[in-house]
Amino acid sequence: MQKAIDVWATGLGAMTPIGADMATTWAAMRSGDNGIQALKESWAEPLPVRLAAQLPVNPADAMKRTEARRLDRSEQMALVTAREAWADAGSPEVDGERLAVVLGTGIGGVTSLLGQNQVLETSGPRRVSPHTVPMLMANGPAAWVSMELGALAGAHAPVSACASGAEALALGLDLIRAGRADVVVAGGVEASVHALPLTAFAQMTALSKRNDDPERACRPFDVGRDGFVLGEGATVVVLERADHARARGVSKPHGVLLGAGVTSSASHITASDVVGQVRAMRMSLRDAGVAAADIGHVHAHATSTPQGDVAEAQAVAEAIGTHPVVTATKSMTGHLLGASGALGAVAAMLALRDGTVPPTRNLDELDPDVPLDVAAGRTRTGTWDVALANSFGFGGHNVSLILGRP
């Protein structure tokens, strides 16, 4: 009964290291552009890793100064991308009690927290901003967007590490299917390019240390990969009941969210779990009512870590097969943590819409333990009806989404 409800993506918004908006980001993805650069800031000089994927623009520049100063960078991104997605959807007229927001994040306002702690230590308590708590809250992005749009059907903030953005889309799908909302503004956001997260990830040996060659640092599925690259960004999708969209004159969406699979591995706080990933993918297939053979394209989580990429490749081969065209766009954007799953889902959706799968950068030699058809060096063109997008996070969070061609 639930799956009889079609859920369309009627609006898209993004800010990423390769684009200030969705159109620019998608064009850069298809071109295989690079968004990873060496960090030039003085605070980065003593760090073991001095490269990251930062936005090409400042989100604060897209809003009034009085508004920007009370928001964390992640909240600024959330508002800018939500406004873009809402406008792209045609600013739909919807009862506030039928409109929900689901915006996930991995860390929340960590730069505000650390920044205000520095203010406290150096200048004393009187100098700490009264906006500190709303700026550091992980639910801040969802809350601000809900107030912007007048969303009264719930403002949810999944915090599932790197799977947060994908889990937000899965929850948005559930809210519409359950009849709790007609429109859900869903996605993910992250702004944590800071000395402490960079150092902490480096201490885990999770990051690439190619400081002298940042453009080639992120290389998913390549034999020479040595870790991920920390990035920042946001992606927001307006999900809408198909009949609601048709009633207001929408004839063709960007794509269709067909199903989702969400599992927890309950095994290790950081290690990839093939079994849990396979369960998520198979669950998403059942939820969407499609077969593994129907999947023509897979957008891989593929962060460029030695263990994680192989584990996912094995899971995809087991759950889906080796026939789909696979890509890993983190090779261009770096790892946007809580925003990465939403961006990956949109990339898969647009690949179906436009018949173009973006290339995987820096894939010079495919790891022999990766039994997949990975698009490397150039785009793949064709016609695919169904795609799968994976997103996995520390803590054993596994999310797989099934997207359909409009």
Side-chain angles (χ1 to χ4, degrees):
M1 185 68 177
Q2 287 182 327
K3 288 186 278 296
I5 299 175
D6 289 335
V7 177
W8 285 5
T10 56
L12 304 175
M15 297 189 82
T16 74
I18 56 174
D21 54 27
M22 191 71 252
T24 307
T25 294
W26 178 234
M29 274 189 179
R30 287 179 292 171
S31 298
D33 290 356
N34 169 62
I36 299 169
Q37 307 290 337
L39 290 169
K40 304 296 185 182
E41 295 85 350
S42 59
W43 56 260
E45 291 178 4
L47 303 184
V49 172
R50 299 180 296 281
L51 67 160
Q54 297 174 290
L55 295 184
V57 295
N58 185 353
D61 293 340
M63 56 182 60
K64 295 179 181 178
R65 184 172 179 273
T66 53
E67 181 182 37
R69 66 189 296 270
R70 64 181 179 177
L71 301 174
D72 178 73
R73 186 174 174 88
S74 65
E75 295 168 341
Q76 294 170 358
M77 292 180 194
L79 277 174
V80 172
T81 52
R83 288 167 180 168
E84 180 191 358
W86 195 249
D88 184 47
S91 301
E93 292 186 10
V94 56
D95 184 341
E97 294 187 2
R98 303 296 300 165
L99 172 62
V101 171
V102 189
L103 284 180
T105 183
I107 305 177
V110 63
T111 57
S112 292
L113 173 63
L114 295 171
Q116 290 302 309
N117 183 67
Q118 181 70 18
V119 170
L120 175 64
E121 292 183 348
T122 59
S123 302
R126 292 177 61 86
R127 302 298 297 176
V128 173
S129 170
H131 302 297
T132 299
V133 172
M135 291 168 73
L136 64 85
M137 299 188 312
N139 65 307
W144 283 112
V145 171
S146 73
M147 289 184 281
E148 170 84 6
L149 300 176
L152 304 177
H156 305 273
V159 180
S160 309
C162 308
S164 301
E167 190 162 329
L169 295 179
L171 178 54
L173 176 66
D174 286 346
L175 289 172
I176 293 175
R177 285 176 169 176
R180 291 173 56 189
D182 295 319
V183 181
V184 179
V185 177
V189 61
E190 203 75 76
S192 58
V193 178
H194 180 282
L196 182 59
L198 278 164
T199 300
F201 279 124
Q203 290 293 93
M204 295 176 65
T205 66
L207 297 183
S208 171
K209 294 185 178 180
R210 294 175 181 264
N211 293 316
D212 297 329
D213 192 14
E215 289 193 15
R216 295 174 56 77
C218 193
R219 39 199 322 110
F221 300 127
D222 187 81
V223 292
R225 66 192 183 280
D226 68 330
F228 73 84
V229 175
L230 184 62
E232 62 175 359
T235 300
V236 172
V237 182
V238 176
L239 297 175
E240 187 169 358
R241 282 180 62 111
D243 56 355
H244 185 276
R246 290 192 190 98
R248 63 182 184 89
V250 178
S251 59
K252 191 174 183 180
H254 293 290
V256 185
L257 183 52
L258 297 173
V262 180
T263 68
S264 51
S265 294
S267 59
H268 194 280
I269 197 66
T270 58
S272 300
D273 172 46
V274 174
V275 174
Q277 294 175 10
V278 168
R279 286 177 52 234
M281 283 182 262
R282 287 178 173 166
M283 183 183 295
S284 70
L285 294 173
R286 291 193 300 271
D287 188 52
V290 301
D294 297 327
I295 303 297
H297 166 49
V298 171
H299 186 283
H301 180 65
T303 63
S304 186
T305 60
Q307 293 79 23
D309 287 11
V310 169
E312 181 180 11
Q314 293 172 349
V316 170
E318 181 176 343
I320 307 299
T322 59
H323 61 279
V325 179
V326 178
T327 195
T329 58
K330 290 182 180 69
S331 58
M332 302 174 236
T333 66
H335 193 352
L336 308 189
L337 303 183
S340 64
L343 181 60
V346 169
M349 184 186 303
L350 296 182
L352 297 180
R353 186 194 71 181
D354 297 345
T356 304
V357 171
T360 303
R361 279 181 61 89
N362 305 322
L363 181 49
D364 299 326
E365 183 180 352
L366 186 67
D367 189 316
D369 291 327
V370 175
L372 303 176
D373 178 18
V374 183
R378 60 181 178 81
T379 58
R380 295 278 190 93
T381 58
T383 301
W384 305 278
D385 293 323
V386 187
L388 178 145
N390 279 330
S391 190
F392 310 126
F394 284 175
H397 304 279
N398 309 304
V399 180
S400 297
L401 301 173
I402 304 292
L403 298 312
R405 186 161 63 96

